[in-house]
Amino acid sequence: MKKQWELCEKLSETHDLNEEELLSLLTGRTPETDEYLRERACEECLAHYGDQVFLRGLIEFTNFCKNDCLYCGIRKGNSSIKRYRLTEGEILSCGEYGYELGFRTFVLQGGEDPYFSDDRLCRIVSSLKSRFPECAVTLSVGERTKESYQKLFQAGADRYLLRHETADCAHYRRLHPPEMSFENRMECLRNLREIGFQTGCGFMVGSPFQTPEALVKDLRFLKAFQPHMVGIGPFLPHKDTPFRDFPKGSGELTVFLLSVIRLLLPRVLLPATTALATLLPEGRELGILHGANVVMPNLSPDDAKENYTLYDHKLSSGQEAAQGLIELKESLQKIGRTATGMRGDSLMDL
Ligand code: SAH
């Protein structure tokens, strides 16, 4: 018990713990020490970013995917979903709508869809950037070659999200088909950062076969890689995947890990993810109250939202994004935070 408090204090003061210490921290939790870390994480976040919560407009522009990740509902092997792609015009309209609502960051996320060749994707990025020069464009389109990443960066993309999924190589193999590799994923992340993208990595909490030791590796990887952004959310099963019968990840563990990540990387941008909001009522607010400072409302057209089904019951309010935004702003206000559409670049490099 005493040891647990010491670890919490050490983490809050030094922003670092070694593997053995992290494992003790994860396995010796109590409600009191969880609450202590939550408070320290919020203080740390407020000290660097103030009370602002950054809004990102998410555009889910394709659910075609050439990969067969065992957890993911839009995997190639799922023949039950309706596949869709937004046209360049539709993507720009989403941008237009988001811009009017005040968003100054657009996140283009999709499956690994070969239709979006470098040329097509670069054109979309440059159109967005020339139409909305003061906005940041974030891409989340999976693994590509270094040359491809380079072209997308030159076309004007500012940021790139590529979750590492797990920092344990053997665990990675159990979540992915044989043609995908841990080494390539990590290589992609290194390339993205080297090219100059503000780079985000991250992982699912409670993915099948995840152990506390694997989570410790994730945390150590984050500390070593020093990403600009970290996305984590609970694993949620999807009925048409090989992992349909595995249990959901824990919401409590997810928010605890948000606090730990905030303390390990005080200046990181940390979203309260849709998966967390899907699992827990008020998941977004709970995430913010554990040290997160980003939310990513969905700007995709309704039929796209319906079919971008990474997991079952994915939260997608039937209401207008505009109405959802008003409610989101109000609920953040209630917990003492101010939602802002501003670019909100990461402070990691400063
Ligand atoms: N194709 C892109 C985007 C993938 S979807 C890429 O490879 O980066 C974005 C994230 O959703 C994934 O990185 C994964 O961590 C998460 N995800 C996928 N399936 C999920 C599930 N069943 N439960 C929770 N999160 C999931």
Side-chain angles (χ1 to χ4, degrees), residues 178-195:
E179 60 278 13
M180 291 181 73
S181 86
F182 175 74
E183 289 72 22
N184 193 53
R185 195 113 186 138
M186 290 297 181
E187 176 74 10
C188 285
L189 278 168
R190 285 190 293 270
N191 288 340
L192 287 164
R193 217 198 17 206
E194 199 181 302
I195 289 167

Side-chain angles (χ1 to χ4, degrees), residues 71-72 109-111 142 162-163 165 185 204 234-236 310-311:
Y71 44 85
C72 186
Q109 189 177 86
L162 184 75
R163 290 190 178 177
E165 312 297 0
R185 195 113 186 138
M204 287 174 286
F235 161 73
L236 298 171
L310 303 176
Y311 40 80

